[in-house]
Amino acid sequence: MLRTALRNVLAHKARLLMTVLAVMLGVAFVAGTLVFTNTISDAYQKSSQKGFKGVDVAIAPDKKDDDSANPGDAPRLSQQVLDKAAKAPGADSAFGVVKGNAALADKKGDLLGGGFSNVGGNYYPGADGKDPRYTMTEGRAPKTPGEIALDSKTAERGEYKAGDSIRVSVDGPVRTEKVVGVFTTDDGNVAAGGTLALYDTVTAQKLFAKPGQFDEIDVKAAAGTSQATLKAAIDKVLPEQAKATTGKKLAKDQAKAIEDGMSSMQTAMLVFAGIALFVGIFIIVNTFSMLVAQRTKELALMRAVGATRRQVTRSVLMEATFVGAVAAVVGLAAGVGIGAALRSVLNSSGANVPDGPLIVAPTTVLVSVLVGVVVTVLSAWLPGRRAAKIPPVAAMNSVHAAPTTRGLVVRNTIGSILAAAGIALVVAGAGMGGDGQGPMAFGAAVLVIGVFVLTPLLSRPLIAAASPVLRLFGMPGKLARQNAVRNPRRTAATASALMVGLTLITGMTVIAGSMQKGIDKMAADGLRSDYVVSMGGTTPRPMSPDVSKTLAKLPEVTAISSLRSSPARVAGDTDTLTGVDPKAIKDLVNVDFTEGSFGALGGTKVLIDDKIADENHWKVGSTIPVTYEDGSSGRLTVGGVYEGNQMIRGVMLDNATVTPHMTTVADFQVMLKTKGGATQDTKDLLKKTLGENPAIKIQNKQDTSDEIASAFTLMLNMLYGLLGMAVIVAVLGVINTLAMSVFERSKEIGMLRAIGLDRAGIKRMVRLESLVISLFGGVLGLGLGVFFGWAAGELIATELPSYELVLPWARMGLFVLMSALVGVIAALWPARRASKLNMLAAIKAE
């Protein structure tokens, strides 16, 4: 049986090629994902380990979580702590670390590093005058205010060298500094495309901390002293609100953080690899079903000469194992190439990955081989089992070919039950709010399976609906329709592969379009201000109060308010206070009040959103105990309750009340209204007033909306690319089905040619059949996608009240055209092959 299985594989190389390709693509995606994420993770981990190379023990502030602690940031470390650490037994040297934000402009005025990581720090020379963390390759280290050193990658990107001037923004206002040196560093953020600028320690403390204070203290052990021993010695001299950690522990924690960060990307990519494999299952089942059907008499003869049912099934599974193994090996090799290509794409996009080897872990090899073989074998099991059940005599006479009425009734009943259950679960999940994700996901899977089972039943009426159009093509159109419904199961499996891909693409497009509409509505309804000013970058950053003071002097500004954020303990719970200008805020934000109004805001009277009010049973007049950022206590009175939204929520109070309690006075946003509204001329004036600062964002309502939506747009484009793999596999499925269908119908095609259908007519027949099958799958995918998009939107609406269902008709029309294009492309080779069949040889074919 083994020799027979191998002979069958080698005898039908062309027929099995599409199956190999389908499995190979899925395996390549899995392998490429694992290679890519392992490579990136390894590169960052090794880079982070280099960053801790000279650090044996690191001392950092330790914020206590007990009720007695201030709700503000943890205290910084003093020079006294550094001196004690340097004198601890086993310590060789110690240096203080100061860090903050420092945005650098290139010579064109654009932001270097794209806002990903713009860090400013200090150069802390030891006894030899050098800082072991940084190696100067050009010039010297900064020594006085106004001097700065740049990392070599930033200097190269910005075309800076020692002696040049550079524009820097620490917290808003632009500073012009002199570049006195260029250095190299093992900092992982720099390796990933960020920027690092160094000041002398005194200047850095003034800019990023407070005079004489550090964010961290790094200690190097003397020769012969272990990190654990040094840590134990330092623990004895540390103040209460400071903790020591070994360099090994820091490197391990950072490696774990990198691994955790990569895991979400890996999971997402593996999900889409799974989708590609799931789509490939349809092709594999189809291929083996047709191969088994073509070899029915051969299998019957094997049964007649003594082969058992189990041996027949086993021979089919042996073929599948061989095909899966070949596909897995080829897929693994392709996956390694995909992993390398993805790293190159990441580097070319500006996110420079640290140098490192391509990692092909043993688990990657094992998973790839197992996935390829297991998926193929499981997919081939049903056709093999079905073939083994056919009695030899029936198989010899081909009386088994037509499915029984009972079999179709059972299939349709099961499909109807699954589809109904899936719809019920999805609808139930949509009404459960945040708790409905699990039931909805499970229901979606059940519904897709139910529709797949029902697809043979659905194919006849839907394909029949295309009859009027097909009649326009004469006899080839009529034959194409009959061929499409001749074997409903095969048509269903072929169309379902495309259906799965289009379901996901349509669903995500509906969600993305609806979210964009909701975000636009939120910005339009929540903001009255013409502009919102904030610091650029991927994370919120504090902004100097000088920015709002400078803008307030402009005669074009009619209303302006700084928004300040201060951590506090409100009624025993950690919360954030939002400081505003009580006179201007009513002209800058738009909220609906359930109680009170903006007029009540001022002094110790605050406004709270309805969610906080409901949770704490507060109303107008309620008194709230508060512990401010600096540790002082007070009491606030509720002056009004408003309906919170994505733009503004929480506890709102007068800036004059909260500012005295802030350890560092800074704004996170400035809202302003101008004469004549938001115009490009006004925006240019604001930019010029702030010194053409590349680190400051000046956004109107549409800019704010676009920024929020950009993350979803980026994700959607990535998902389109990932789902493209599933569509490619679906195309292979259509090609596979048509090619094998042409082979099966060789005699029929020969007869058609003999009675007068020319080669062009044969080509047209095959193309129209492919077009009908593809459009059938596309229509099913669009319907399911819209349904899932609506259901997911019901969950999103609980977090984004302005969410509004939008059906992207233009894109959906494009998806229909894409389905048609898939059908046309997939039919090119099978149609050409069918038209070239020799009619006499085809008529004589068995």
Side-chain angles (χ1 to χ4, degrees):
M1 296 305 294
L2 176 61
R3 286 197 299 271
T4 303
L6 290 175
R7 270 201 306 270
N8 282 327
V9 170
L10 297 175
H12 304 125
K13 292 186 284 289
R15 301 185 211 172
L16 291 168
L17 177 62
M18 295 301 175
T19 302
V20 171
L21 284 174
V23 180
M24 182 270 289
L25 282 172
V27 172
F29 207 165
V30 172
T33 296
L34 294 174
V35 169
F36 172 67
T37 51
N38 288 342
T39 298
I40 301 301
S41 180
D42 181 77
Y44 278 119
Q45 286 179 18
K46 286 181 178 176
S47 178
S48 69
Q49 287 171 0
K50 287 181 183 178
F52 293 113
K53 191 175 179 182
V55 181
D56 291 308
V57 174
I59 304 170
D62 184 20
K63 178 174 168 56
K64 305 297 181 182
D65 291 328
D66 55 55
D67 292 340
S68 61
N70 293 346
D73 294 334
R76 291 187 172 90
L77 305 168
S78 66
Q79 183 69 42
Q80 185 181 11
V81 176
L82 189 150
D83 294 339
K84 287 183 179 179
K87 295 175 183 177
D92 178 68
S93 60
F95 53 92
V97 179
V98 183
K99 281 188 178 181
N101 295 305
L104 308 175
D106 62 18
K107 292 186 177 180
K108 296 178 182 178
D110 297 326
L111 182 66
L112 277 167
F116 155 65
S117 175
N118 304 115
V119 178
N122 69 310
Y123 188 91
Y124 193 91
D128 58 356
K130 297 180 180 179
D131 188 327
R133 299 170 296 173
Y134 312 111
T135 302
M136 304 302 301
T137 58
E138 182 185 343
R140 59 173 177 81
K143 296 179 181 178
T144 61
E147 295 183 343
I148 198 172
L150 303 178
D151 70 86
S152 56
K153 290 182 180 292
T154 298
E156 182 181 350
R157 287 197 299 269
E159 299 180 356
Y160 286 110
K161 62 182 184 298
D164 289 345
S165 295
I166 185 171
R167 297 169 72 242
V168 185
S169 175
V170 172
D171 58 1
V174 178
R175 306 163 57 91
T176 300
E177 316 282 21
K178 182 180 180 181
V179 179
V180 296
V182 177
F183 61 89
T184 58
T185 175
D186 292 321
D187 191 304
N189 285 325
V190 171
T195 64
L196 177 59
L198 300 180
Y199 291 87
D200 66 279
T201 298
V202 173
T203 303
Q205 287 175 330
K206 288 179 181 177
L207 292 175
F208 308 127
K210 288 184 178 180
Q213 293 188 341
F214 301 96
D215 297 305
E216 185 180 304
I217 295 170
D218 294 337
V219 187
K220 188 175 182 180
T225 303
S226 68
Q227 290 187 356
T229 303
L230 178 59
K231 178 183 178 301
I234 289 175
D235 281 337
K236 296 177 181 178
V237 299
L238 287 182
E240 182 183 354
Q241 288 191 315
K243 64 177 180 179
T245 310
T246 63
K248 288 180 181 177
K249 178 72 165 51
L250 289 173
K252 184 178 178 181
D253 290 346
Q254 187 158 340
K256 180 68 168 60
I258 292 170
E259 185 178 341
D260 292 343
M262 294 300 297
S263 66
S264 57
M265 179 192 294
Q266 186 181 75
T267 301
M269 293 179 72
L270 286 175
V271 165
F272 288 96
I275 292 169
L277 283 169
F278 180 65
V279 172
I281 287 173
F282 295 115
I283 301 174
I284 300 166
V285 171
N286 236 7
T287 302
F288 276 95
S289 295
M290 288 187 282
L291 286 174
V292 168
Q294 291 168 14
R295 288 164 41 209
T296 299
K297 291 185 179 180
E298 175 191 327
L299 294 174
L301 184 60
M302 291 172 61
R303 290 287 312 282
V305 298
T308 64
R309 287 185 178 184
R310 187 171 296 177
Q311 285 178 312
V312 171
T313 304
R314 198 180 300 147
S315 72
V316 176
L317 295 182
M318 285 177 183
E319 290 181 46
T321 302
F322 182 81
V323 171
V326 171
V329 171
V330 177
L332 175 61
V336 174
I338 289 173
L342 286 172
R343 182 171 68 171
S344 298
V345 169
L346 201 63
N347 281 329
S348 64
S349 68
N352 296 314
V353 179
D355 294 332
L358 207 62
I359 305 298
V360 184
T363 52
T364 301
V365 177
L366 182 63
V367 167
S368 300
V369 173
L370 283 177
V371 164
V373 173
V374 170
V375 166
T376 310
V377 170
L378 288 177
S379 302
W381 176 76
L382 187 60
R385 184 170 175 271
R386 192 185 301 141
K389 281 187 171 183
I390 301 170
V393 175
M396 291 288 190
N397 295 285
S398 299
V399 297
H400 66 287
T404 63
T405 303
R406 178 177 175 276
L408 290 174
V409 169
V410 170
R411 177 177 180 131
N412 293 337
T413 302
I414 293 173
S416 299
I417 293 171
L418 288 173
I423 292 172
L425 283 169
V426 171
V427 172
M432 293 170 64
D435 299 326
Q437 294 180 2
M440 183 178 290
F442 181 68
V446 172
L447 178 55
V448 168
I449 295 171
V451 171
F452 167 63
V453 175
L454 281 175
T455 307
L457 177 66
L458 298 172
S459 64
R460 289 186 178 277
L462 288 177
I463 292 176
S467 295
V469 178
L470 291 174
R471 286 197 193 100
L472 299 176
F473 296 93
M475 186 54 66
K478 181 179 179 181
L479 291 171
R481 186 188 68 79
Q482 291 174 347
N483 290 335
V485 296
R486 178 186 296 181
N487 192 330
R489 287 180 176 174
R490 185 184 302 170
T491 299
T494 306
S496 295
L498 189 59
M499 176 193 77
V500 172
L502 278 181
T503 295
L504 293 166
I505 290 174
T506 304
M508 289 188 302
T509 303
V510 170
I511 293 170
S514 301
M515 286 197 69
Q516 179 68 65
K517 180 78 172 178
I519 291 167
D520 288 344
K521 190 172 185 295
M522 176 188 70
D525 293 348
L527 288 178
R528 286 183 178 172
S529 63
D530 294 321
Y531 294 101
V532 176
V533 181
S534 62
M535 296 295 289
T538 55
T539 55
R541 292 166 47 192
M543 183 168 57
S544 169
D546 292 340
V547 172
S548 62
K549 291 177 183 176
T550 301
L551 294 174
K553 295 176 183 177
L554 289 174
E556 288 79 6
V557 175
T558 58
I560 186 168
S561 173
S562 300
L563 274 69
R564 293 176 182 167
S565 178
S566 177
R569 190 167 287 110
V570 180
D573 295 325
T574 302
D575 209 329
T576 301
L577 303 176
T578 301
V580 298
D581 183 331
K583 295 180 181 178
I585 195 66
K586 64 179 180 298
D587 297 321
L588 301 171
V589 297
N590 185 28
V591 294
D592 294 324
F593 282 85
T594 57
E595 288 186 274
S597 66
F598 278 119
L601 182 63
T604 59
K605 284 193 174 182
V606 300
L607 306 178
I608 59 174
D609 68 46
D610 50 352
K611 187 175 180 181
I612 294 176
D614 291 341
E615 288 175 354
N616 295 278
H617 306 291
W618 290 336
K619 56 185 180 179
V620 171
S622 297
T623 302
I624 307 171
V626 60
T627 302
Y628 293 103
E629 184 178 348
D630 60 358
S632 61
S633 299
R635 302 191 77 80
L636 302 173
T637 303
V638 177
V641 179
Y642 65 94
E643 295 179 6
N645 54 50
Q646 295 291 320
M647 304 306 298
I648 191 160
R649 61 175 68 182
V651 180
M652 199 189 311
L653 75 167
D654 191 341
N655 269 330
T657 303
V658 72
T659 300
H661 300 288
M662 297 175 68
T663 54
T664 301
V665 179
D667 303 331
F668 69 89
Q669 275 183 352
V670 173
M671 291 183 175
L672 55 99
K673 206 168 184 61
T674 58
K675 294 177 181 176
T679 64
Q680 189 59 47
D681 289 342
T682 304
K683 191 172 185 178
D684 292 340
L685 174 64
L686 298 178
K687 283 183 178 180
K688 186 176 180 180
T689 303
L690 295 176
E692 300 287 348
N693 193 328
I696 292 181
K697 293 186 298 187
I698 301 173
Q699 298 176 305
N700 58 27
K701 291 180 185 179
Q702 190 58 50
D703 294 333
T704 303
S705 176
D706 291 345
E707 182 181 52
I708 298 171
S710 63
F712 302 108
T713 304
L714 177 63
M715 182 178 69
L716 183 67
N717 291 335
M718 288 177 62
L719 295 182
Y720 278 156
L722 294 172
L723 285 172
M725 182 73 73
V727 174
I728 291 172
V729 175
V731 172
L732 291 176
V734 180
I735 295 173
N736 203 21
T737 300
L738 290 173
M740 302 192 82
S741 179
V742 165
F743 178 84
E744 283 182 348
R745 303 202 307 261
S746 295
K747 183 180 290 188
E748 176 189 317
I749 291 171
M751 290 294 295
L752 289 171
R753 292 275 285 115
I755 62 176
L757 192 62
D758 60 10
R759 289 186 174 181
I762 294 292
K763 282 185 179 179
R764 194 175 299 121
M765 177 187 73
V766 176
R767 287 171 182 164
L768 289 172
E769 180 184 350
S770 175
L771 186 64
V772 167
I773 292 173
S774 297
L775 285 173
F776 170 52
V779 169
L780 286 180
L782 284 175
L784 285 174
V786 169
F787 176 65
F788 291 147
W790 163 80
E794 293 298 300
L795 295 183
I796 295 171
T798 60
E799 296 295 326
L800 182 65
S802 57
Y803 182 90
E804 182 179 328
L805 181 65
V806 174
L807 294 182
W809 295 108
R811 287 206 177 187
M812 287 164 64
L814 186 64
F815 295 157
V816 172
L817 290 176
M818 186 179 76
S819 302
L821 184 63
V822 165
V824 171
I825 293 173
L828 290 177
W829 178 62
R832 186 169 178 271
R833 182 183 176 192
S835 68
K836 285 194 169 186
L837 284 176
N838 183 291
M839 68 178 75
L840 295 178
I843 291 171
K844 292 190 296 182
E846 280 293 331

